[in-house]
Amino acid sequence: MQYQSHKIAQNFYTASVLLFLVQVVVGLIAALQFIWPDFFILNFNTIRTLHINALVVWLLMGMMGATYYVVTEESESELWSVPLAQLQFWATVIAVTAVVAGYIVMGLNPQTNTEIFGTRALNEGREYIEAPRWADVLIVISVLLFLFNCLMTVFKTKKFTAVQGVLLGGLTFLALMYLPGMFYTNNMVKDQFWWWWVVHLWVEGSWEMIAAALLAFMLHKLLGADVKVLAKWMYIETGLVLFTGILGLGHHYYWIGTPEYWLWVGGVFSSLEPIPLLLMVWDAFRTTREVRGVVPNRIGLYLTVAHAIFNFVGAGLWGVIHTLPQVNKWTHGTQITTAHGHLAFYGAYVLLIIAMIYVTLPSIKGVKEFNQSRGFQSFWWMTVSMIFIVIAITGAGMVQTYLERLLGLDYVTVKASYNLWFWIFRALFGVGFLVGVLILVKDILGFGQKPAA
Amino acid sequence: MSTNAAKNLFIYGSLFCFLVLVILTIDTMGKLDQRAPEITEKVAAGKKVWHKYDCIGCHTILGNGSYFAPDMTKATERKPKEYLKKFLLDPRAIKQDSAMPKLGLSEEEADSLIAFLEWTSKVDTNDWPPKPILASATAGRTASTGQMLFQKYDCAACHQIQGLGGTAGPDLTHAGLKQPDVEWHIKHLKDPAGTVRNSAMPNFSHLGDEDLKALAEYLITLR
Ligand code: HEM
Ligand code: HEM
Ligand SMILES: [Fe+2]
C-alpha cells in the first residue's frame, strides 16, 4: 500500500542527510582549526555551533520523518492531515535556514547579537541550545503541529499499538524537555542546572525511548518478528532507560555548584545506564537469530544491529568509564568527553536514523530490490573512520587528563604540543568519514532510480 | 513477566523516578544561594556578555562547554584583573600567537565579564578542579631565595620554566641568555610597561629592593 504521507517522510529524510553533510563538512573545519586556529573566516565557536546544531536538527528531522512513516504504517491510514505535515516540513526548513543565517551573521560580527526581550537576538551563547528565543518558539510550534498531527491520526484510527505509544510518548517527553532551556536566569549555576535537563534528558531519556520504539519497529518490519514479544522487551528496555537515566542526570551535577548528594545520586544511577543498552543488543541478536530464511533488506538489518551495538559501546561503555565522580573529577571537561560524545551520538542516533531510512525507503519508493552495495560502502567508511576518530580523541583525552589535570601542565601547552598529532589523526579520519557521508547522500537521493544491474 | 505488567512497570516506575527528580531539584534550588556569592548587577551584566560573545563556543566554564580553550571557572584566581582585561580587549596585542581572536569587547563589557568570572571562581564546586598531584608534591622544594620568590609571587601562572607553568608570558627557561643584565630585570619587574612596549605583565614595584634583586639574580641563572 502506498501512502501520500510517505512522501513527507521522504522529504524529511532528504533534508536530514543533506544537513548531515553540512554537519560533517563543518566538523572537518573545526578539526582543522585545532591545528590552525585561523583556518577559516568564521571562528571556531561559530563553526562548532553549526556542527552540533546541524547534528541535533538533522537527527530530529530524521526522527520526524521516521515517525510520520511509522504512524502511517501502524495506523494503516494516511496522516490526519497531509497538507499540515507538508506545511510543517517547509516551516521547519525555513526556520532552520533563518537560524543558521543568524549564527553566521553573529559569527562575522558579534555586535549584531544584541539583546531583545532579555535574551540574545541571534545566538543565545549556550551550547546545543544556541538557537535564540524567537527560534525556540518556532521550534516548539513546529513540534506541536507534528505531534498533533500524529496523535490525531492515532485517535482517528484507534490503533493504539505499543510502538506508537512509546514512540509518541518519547516525542512528547522530548517536546516537554525543551522547555527548561527556554528561560533566562542570571545565575550561572542555575543556568547549567536547567541546561542539563534539556541535554541529558533528551539524549539519555526521551531519545532513547524513541530509539527503543524504532528498534522494535525495525525488527518487526525486517524480520516479521512477533509483535507481542518485541513489545514486552521494548517496555522493559524503556523502563530501565528511564529508571537509570532520569536520576542519572546527577552525573552532571557533581562540580557545577550543586549540593554534594548529587555525587551519590549521579554515581549510582548513571553507572546502571549501560544495562538497558546491553539489553537492546541482546534483543537485536535474539530476534535476528530466531528468523529463518533470507532477509531481503540486508543493509537495513545490518544497520539496525550496528546501531544497537554502537549505542551500547558509545553511550554505555564510553559513558560509564567517566561517570563515577572519582574518575569524572579528573576527566570532566576534557577530550574524553568529546570522544564519548562522538561515539555515543554516532552509535545511538546517527546509525538509528540511517537504519530507519534504509528500512523504510524501499516501501516509500515502492522498490523491492535495490543495490545495497553503496549502503555497505558508506557504512564502513563512516564506521571505521569514526572508530579511529574516537581512538585519537580518547588518546588526546588521556594525555590531557594526565598532563594537565594530574601533573599540572598548562592547558595551552598540552593542546598545542603534546596533543598535536591526535588533532592531525582526527582530521585525516574526518576526511574518511566525509567520504562515507558523500556515498550515503548520493545513495539516498538517487534511491531506487536505477534498478539493480 | 507479561507485556502488560512490563508496560505498567515502565509507566509508573518512570513517573516515580521523575517525581524523585523534581523533589531533588526543589531541594537543590533552595540550597544554591548559600553555595555562591551574591549576584551583583555587575556580575549579572557580565553573564550577559558571556552569552553575547558565545565564549562557551570555545571555553568550558564549571567544566561544561567546548574543549578548544582553557576552563574559565578559576580564570581570575591566578591572574590579575588588569592583565585579564588587556587580554580580553585584544588577545593578540599582548600575546602574538594567541589562538583567541579579538572579539570586539568594550572596556565596560570586559570589566563586567571579569566580575562575572570572579563570581564563578567563588562558587562551591565540591573542590573542582582538583589540585594537580605533581604540582602539590613539588611545592616548597626549592633552593635559592629567588626561586622561592618566583613561587611566592606565582610567576608560573604566566611563565613556563622547562615545561611547567602558564603560557600568558614568554617561556623563561632561557631568560638569562636572552637578557643577562640584572639591572634590566629589576627595572622590568618594577615597571614592565616602561621597559617593554605594550607589556601586559603586572608590575612588581611593591616588592622590596632585596627581593627584586634576588628574583633578578635567579632569572639570569636560567640559561
Ligand atoms: C545515549 C546516548 C548518549 C549520548 C548521545 C551522550 C552524549 C554526550 C555528550 C555530547 C556529552 C558532552 C556534553 C557537553 O558538550 O558538555 C556527554 C557527557 C557525558 N556523558 Fe553522555 N551520552 C549518552 C549516554 C551516556 C551514558 C549512558 C553515560 C553513562 C553511563 C554517559 C555519561 C556521560 C558523562 C559522565 C558525561 C560528562 C562528561 C564530563 O564530565 O565532561 N552518557 N554525553
Ligand atoms: C568528519 C568527522 C567529524 C569531525 C572531524 C568532527 C570534529 C569535531 C570537533 C573538532 C568538535 C569540537 C570538539 C571540542 O570542542 O573540542 C566536535 C564536536 C562535536 N561533534 Fe563532531 N566531528 C565529526 C563528526 C561528527 C559526527 C558524525 C557526530 C555525531 C555523531 C559529531 C558530534 C559532535 C558532538 C556531539 C560534538 C560536541 C560535543 C563534544 O565536543 O563533546 N561529530 N566535532
Ligand atoms: Fe548524561
Side-chain angles (χ1 to χ4, degrees):
Chain A
M1 170 89 202
Q2 293 278 81
Y3 294 100
Q4 265 298 147
S5 314
H6 283 172
K7 200 50 208 138
I8 292 158
Q10 194 199 329
N11 286 347
F12 273 97
Y13 291 163
T14 307
S16 271
V17 292
L18 288 176
L19 260 180
F20 185 22
L21 182 60
V22 172
Q23 181 218 333
V24 173
V25 171
V26 288
L28 200 53
I29 297 176
L32 291 169
Q33 288 182 325
F34 263 76
I35 306 164
W36 302 289
D38 295 329
F39 172 73
F40 198 68
I41 22 167
L42 291 164
N43 290 328
F44 178 84
N45 59 319
T46 306
I47 292 297
R48 190 183 196 274
T49 299
L50 291 171
H51 180 61
I52 59 182
N53 280 255
L55 165 72
V56 172
V57 171
W58 86 256
L59 291 175
L60 283 174
M61 289 186 86
M63 283 178 203
M64 286 181 180
T67 305
Y68 278 141
Y69 182 93
V70 172
V71 168
T72 312
E73 185 150 311
E74 295 261 307
S75 303
E76 297 172 49
S77 146
E78 289 286 1
L79 287 170
W80 179 73
S81 164
V82 175
L84 184 64
Q86 205 93 46
L87 175 81
Q88 189 249 335
F89 172 74
W90 285 109
T92 309
V93 171
I94 291 168
V96 170
T97 316
V99 173
V100 167
Y103 291 156
I104 293 173
V105 170
M106 182 274 178
L108 293 172
N109 178 8
Q111 299 308 334
T112 54
N113 200 18
T114 50
E115 187 172 323
I116 42 165
F117 304 120
T119 62
R120 292 290 149 196
L122 301 176
N123 181 329
E124 231 169 66
R126 298 169 76 204
E127 196 192 1
Y128 298 106
I129 48 175
E130 285 93 347
R133 196 58 32 86
W134 56 265
D136 290 345
V137 174
L138 292 180
I139 294 166
V140 170
I141 294 175
S142 160
V143 172
L144 286 181
L145 287 181
F146 157 78
L147 272 177
F148 176 74
N149 207 347
C150 293
L151 288 171
M152 286 308 281
T153 315
V154 178
F155 285 122
K156 190 184 71 186
T157 59
K158 301 211 166 47
K159 292 212 173 67
F160 301 105
T161 65
V163 164
Q164 298 205 74
V166 173
L167 182 59
L168 294 174
L171 286 160
T172 310
F173 187 24
L174 182 158
L176 287 175
M177 285 308 111
Y178 193 63
L179 305 179
M182 280 181 61
F183 68 94
Y184 185 80
T185 154
N186 61 12
N187 183 330
M188 194 62 185
V189 176
K190 287 187 186 157
D191 188 307
Q192 294 212 343
F193 185 92
W194 291 110
W195 176 80
W196 275 119
W197 266 56
V198 182
V199 177
H200 171 100
L201 292 179
W202 267 22
V203 298
E204 286 159 72
S206 60
W207 289 32
E208 283 288 358
M209 271 176 87
I210 295 165
L214 293 179
L215 178 66
F217 175 83
M218 292 191 288
L219 290 175
H220 173 66
K221 183 159 175 78
L222 289 163
L223 305 165
D226 184 0
V227 181
K228 267 213 112 82
V229 181
L230 283 173
K232 181 174 109 182
W233 285 108
M234 177 182 67
Y235 284 130
I236 296 176
E237 286 153 9
T238 13
L240 289 175
V241 162
L242 295 178
F243 301 166
T244 56
I246 290 176
L247 290 168
L249 175 55
H251 64 186
H252 304 298
Y253 296 159
Y254 298 154
W255 327 114
I256 66 165
T258 35
E260 235 165 296
Y261 58 73
W262 286 107
L263 299 180
W264 282 97
V265 179
V268 170
F269 283 90
S270 70
S271 335
L272 300 173
E273 283 186 53
I275 294 172
L277 308 183
L278 188 59
L279 213 57
M280 291 187 199
V281 179
W282 173 78
D283 198 11
F285 274 99
R286 178 183 50 83
T287 318
T288 310
R289 228 180 310 117
E290 273 167 12
V291 175
R292 314 238 169 269
V294 236
V295 178
N297 191 345
R298 272 174 46 247
I299 179 69
L301 182 62
Y302 213 82
L303 286 161
T304 307
V305 175
H307 148 72
I309 295 173
F310 280 100
N311 187 8
F312 171 66
V313 176
L317 291 185
W318 250 251
V320 88
I321 50 171
H322 61 155
T323 205
L324 286 177
Q326 292 81 349
V327 177
N328 193 261
K329 182 169 192 156
W330 302 101
T331 60
H332 180 45
T334 62
Q335 294 295 329
I336 297 282
T337 310
T338 309
H340 157 66
H342 278 85
L343 200 57
F345 261 113
Y346 180 70
Y349 304 118
V350 171
L351 285 176
L352 173 73
I353 299 301
I354 299 177
M356 266 309 282
I357 294 179
Y358 274 101
V359 170
T360 59
L361 255 193
S363 329
I364 292 175
K365 291 271 189 161
V367 292
K368 278 243 153 44
E369 285 199 3
F370 59 99
N371 185 344
Q372 307 197 3
S373 64
R374 244 199 240 137
F376 280 104
Q377 269 173 33
S378 114
F379 170 79
W380 283 115
W381 273 101
M382 290 195 295
T383 303
V384 171
S385 308
M386 182 49 84
I387 288 173
F388 279 103
I389 289 177
V390 169
I391 290 176
I393 298 310
T394 306
M398 286 161 61
V399 168
Q400 184 188 4
T401 303
Y402 182 70
L403 291 179
E404 185 197 338
R405 296 289 169 79
L406 269 88
L407 296 193
L409 297 201
D410 183 74
Y411 172 94
V412 174
T413 311
V414 176
K415 177 186 166 210
S417 43
Y418 293 93
N419 270 340
L420 182 62
W421 279 101
F422 288 120
W423 312 142
I424 296 174
F425 281 128
R426 161 163 70 184
L428 288 175
F429 286 106
V431 176
F433 197 92
L434 182 60
V435 171
V437 180
L438 285 169
I439 300 173
L440 177 81
V441 171
K442 188 158 190 271
D443 200 29
I444 301 296
L445 295 193
F447 196 88
Q449 270 167 5
K450 267 179 279 167
Chain B
M1 202 180 343
S2 74
T3 307
N4 233 348
K7 179 173 163 184
N8 287 328
L9 185 68
F10 148 62
I11 293 176
Y12 295 107
S14 310
L15 287 176
F16 175 75
C17 289
F18 203 82
L19 184 70
V20 176
L21 175 64
V22 169
I23 293 170
L24 288 176
T25 297
I26 293 169
D27 180 72
T28 298
M29 285 298 144
K31 295 202 164 107
L32 289 185
D33 287 342
Q34 298 141 36
R35 298 176 60 91
E38 195 199 336
I39 299 169
T40 61
E41 249 171 59
K42 206 161 180 195
V43 172
K47 180 169 182 281
K48 288 195 168 166
V49 180
W50 173 266
H51 293 303
K52 174 181 172 188
Y53 291 95
D54 189 28
C55 310
I56 204 138
C58 291
H59 290 276
T60 49
I61 189 160
L62 298 166
N64 294 130
S66 311
Y67 318 105
F68 185 75
D71 187 71
M72 286 288 112
T73 315
K74 305 282 178 189
T76 56
E77 236 172 32
R78 290 179 72 184
K79 286 178 188 130
K81 284 186 213 167
E82 297 72 33
Y83 171 81
L84 289 174
K85 184 170 174 183
K86 278 189 194 143
F87 183 86
L88 287 174
L89 290 175
D90 190 354
R92 285 169 196 175
I94 62 166
K95 183 182 172 190
Q96 274 169 18
D97 60 343
S98 175
M100 175 158 153
K102 180 176 178 175
L103 295 168
L105 278 85
S106 70
E107 300 241 351
E108 198 189 336
E109 285 178 327
D111 285 333
S112 22
L113 247 179
I114 291 168
F116 166 68
L117 291 174
E118 270 189 320
W119 179 87
T120 322
S121 72
K122 298 200 184 87
V123 171
D124 177 354
T125 55
N126 296 331
D127 291 330
W128 192 87
K131 290 265 166 300
I133 290 168
L134 184 80
S136 20
T138 52
R141 260 201 268 147
T142 42
S144 70
T145 326
Q147 210 168 347
M148 225 128 72
L149 290 166
F150 193 88
Q151 261 180 22
K152 180 174 168 200
Y153 293 103
D154 200 17
C155 309
C158 298
H159 293 290
Q160 231 166 44
I161 296 177
Q162 296 190 345
L164 260 174
T167 52
D171 187 332
L172 297 185
T173 311
H174 304 294
L177 279 182
K178 188 172 163 195
Q179 198 41 267
D181 180 6
V182 177
E183 289 309 315
W184 184 91
H185 281 292
I186 295 178
K187 180 164 175 278
H188 177 250
L189 285 166
K190 272 188 177 160
D191 180 16
T195 314
V196 175
R197 228 172 54 102
N198 277 337
S199 172
M201 172 155 144
N203 80 62
F204 289 87
S205 53
H206 51 286
L207 270 68
D209 284 347
E210 259 171 50
D211 282 358
L212 287 173
K213 189 151 180 273
L215 257 176
E217 276 168 357
Y218 166 62
L219 289 169
I220 57 163
T221 63
L222 299 170
R223 280 155 193 272

